[in-house]
Amino acid sequence: MVYYDAVLRKASLSLPMTIFDSYRYVCDALYPLYEKREAENIADMVIENITGFGKMDRSMYRDVPLTAEELKKLHYYATLLVQQQPVQYVLQEAWFYGMPFYVNQHVLIPRPETEELVEWIIKDTQLRQSNGASGNLKIMDIGTGSGCIAIALQKNIPGAEVWAMDLSKEALEVAQKNAEIQQSSISFKNADILLPVQPDEFPLFNIIVSNPPYIPVSDQSQMRKNVLQFEPAMALFVEDNNPMLFYSAIADFSLIHLQKNGRLYFEIHEAMGEAVKTLLTKKGFDNMIVRKDMQGKDRMIKATKNG
């Protein structure tokens, strides 16, 4: 804690502190810890959260002093940020598919590549509907975490009946809170996908989607401190000797709980596209498509249940 106090003292400015001063204060505290652009992006998020002013508005009101309550919040956030807590956890907010989501350390912070997976499902569904497919869809999100996938799909696919499951009761509490915030009707289920479920415990689904744990434990050495220390390991990692564990279990669940010609979507590790494709082929799925994300990495796969 001595180190963190020293960082904040070095970044400190004399009072009163204006909106511009507060932005510089956060930047100066974070420059030793992050690249310049990332530090400034974090500072933008913090000051907008505290003041309610976006980046453009702040240029107009830069000399407005912070209130005592805003100043208290600023110092509290800065204390957490210099410990490298992710800004989304500090602010307890992350944006996903144009919506704010409550997040804490029981759930993963939603990622842009997961938005791409959601966009793929929505576009696929719209295309099928434009080609004459009818009826309300039943969708299952396995390992829902914050509920971001389930809620984004329910909000953007009219009439969809969406279910979501997670092993973590704490994660489900977060997801339920987000469903309430977004006024989204989701059927939540506390269940472990690695354990057998009764065939009649769930309906038949048209779509099953999952962003399961897929990072090998051996990759931890390449990951950032703020991910390793603060995000839930059970939602991130899989043992090196069984990297297909969750893909296999979810595929088996899908063989029972997908309707004929139902679609299975996964987010995948960038190095596992062919391995997941082979696994699904062996289990009897077809029409596999591996898709790259904005970074050009294999990041998602779609398969169809053919029977």
Side-chain angles (χ1 to χ4, degrees):
M1 198 66 190
V2 173
Y3 167 76
Y4 305 134
D5 290 342
V7 171
L8 291 176
R9 282 198 302 273
K10 186 175 180 181
S12 64
L13 295 169
S14 58
L15 301 179
M17 187 176 285
T18 66
I19 288 177
F20 180 74
D21 292 336
S22 65
Y23 171 77
R24 297 307 317 168
Y25 170 75
V26 178
C27 287
D28 290 343
L30 296 182
Y31 282 149
L33 304 172
Y34 297 96
E35 292 182 359
K36 183 174 184 291
R37 183 175 179 181
E38 185 172 5
E40 291 170 356
N41 286 340
I42 292 171
D44 278 330
M45 294 169 66
V46 170
I47 304 308
E48 182 169 351
N49 178 277
I50 290 172
T51 66
F53 291 132
K55 198 170 184 178
M56 295 298 294
D57 290 332
R58 290 202 309 274
S59 64
M60 186 181 304
Y61 299 103
R62 54 178 285 157
D63 295 325
V64 173
L66 265 61
T67 66
E69 186 61 31
E70 289 171 340
L71 191 59
K72 181 179 177 182
K73 191 179 288 188
L74 175 71
H75 285 292
Y76 173 68
Y77 288 167
T79 300
L80 299 179
L81 288 167
V82 296
Q83 297 174 54
Q84 296 191 54
Q85 290 196 34
V87 63
Q88 294 89 346
Y89 290 152
V90 172
L91 304 180
Q92 296 191 325
E93 181 180 83
W95 283 78
F96 184 86
Y97 217 75
M99 294 176 283
F101 281 81
Y102 169 76
V103 292
N104 62 25
Q105 292 178 27
H106 295 298
V107 300
L108 292 181
I109 297 166
R111 265 46 175 207
E113 54 266 30
T114 308
E115 288 188 309
E116 293 183 69
L117 177 63
V118 166
E119 179 76 1
W120 191 12
I121 296 171
I122 292 170
K123 295 295 186 186
D124 262 3
T125 301
Q126 291 173 341
L127 179 62
R128 291 167 69 90
Q129 290 174 340
S130 69
N131 289 333
S134 60
N136 293 338
L137 298 180
K138 287 185 172 64
I139 301 172
M140 166 61 87
D141 173 27
I142 297 176
T144 194
S146 66
C148 62
I149 291 176
I151 292 168
L153 293 175
Q154 198 276 330
K155 299 288 282 187
N156 289 278
I157 300 178
E161 178 185 328
V162 181
W163 292 56
M165 75 158 71
D166 206 289
L167 170 62
S168 167
K169 292 181 179 179
E170 293 82 4
L172 284 176
E173 289 175 2
V174 173
Q176 288 168 331
K177 180 171 182 175
N178 281 319
E180 292 171 6
I181 291 170
Q182 297 299 336
Q183 299 181 327
S184 182
S185 178
I186 309 287
S187 297
F188 290 103
K189 183 77 172 178
N190 181 219
D192 185 350
I193 193 62
L194 299 181
L195 298 177
V197 297
Q198 297 300 318
D200 59 353
E201 196 170 347
F202 298 99
L204 288 176
F205 298 102
N206 305 95
I207 294 170
I208 292 176
V209 56
S210 182
N211 176 18
Y214 58 68
I215 302 174
V217 171
S218 59
D219 281 7
Q220 289 184 2
S221 61
Q222 304 169 33
M223 297 178 68
R224 296 177 61 164
K225 176 182 174 182
N226 60 352
V227 174
L228 291 175
Q229 288 195 346
F230 297 104
E231 298 204 51
M234 67 180 294
L236 286 169
F237 297 110
V238 66
E239 293 297 329
D240 291 356
N241 62 1
N242 196 5
M244 295 291 109
L245 175 65
F246 290 98
Y247 295 121
S248 180
I250 294 166
D252 289 341
F253 176 92
S254 300
L255 288 172
I256 298 170
H257 293 286
L258 266 180
Q259 294 184 6
K260 183 178 180 180
N261 298 319
R263 291 168 283 155
L264 173 61
Y265 295 84
F266 280 128
E267 184 170 321
I268 60 174
H269 188 286
E270 63 188 84
M272 294 183 185
E274 287 304 313
V276 176
K277 189 175 178 180
T278 298
L279 171 77
L280 294 176
T281 300
K282 288 179 178 178
K283 289 184 178 291
F285 290 87
D286 59 16
N287 298 324
M288 257 75 69
I289 299 174
V290 177
R291 179 172 284 196
K292 297 184 184 299
D293 65 11
M294 291 181 292
Q295 309 291 327
K297 299 175 181 179
D298 289 347
R299 188 60 75 185
M300 57 204 92
I301 189 169
K302 176 177 74 169
T304 304
K305 179 185 175 185
N306 59 18

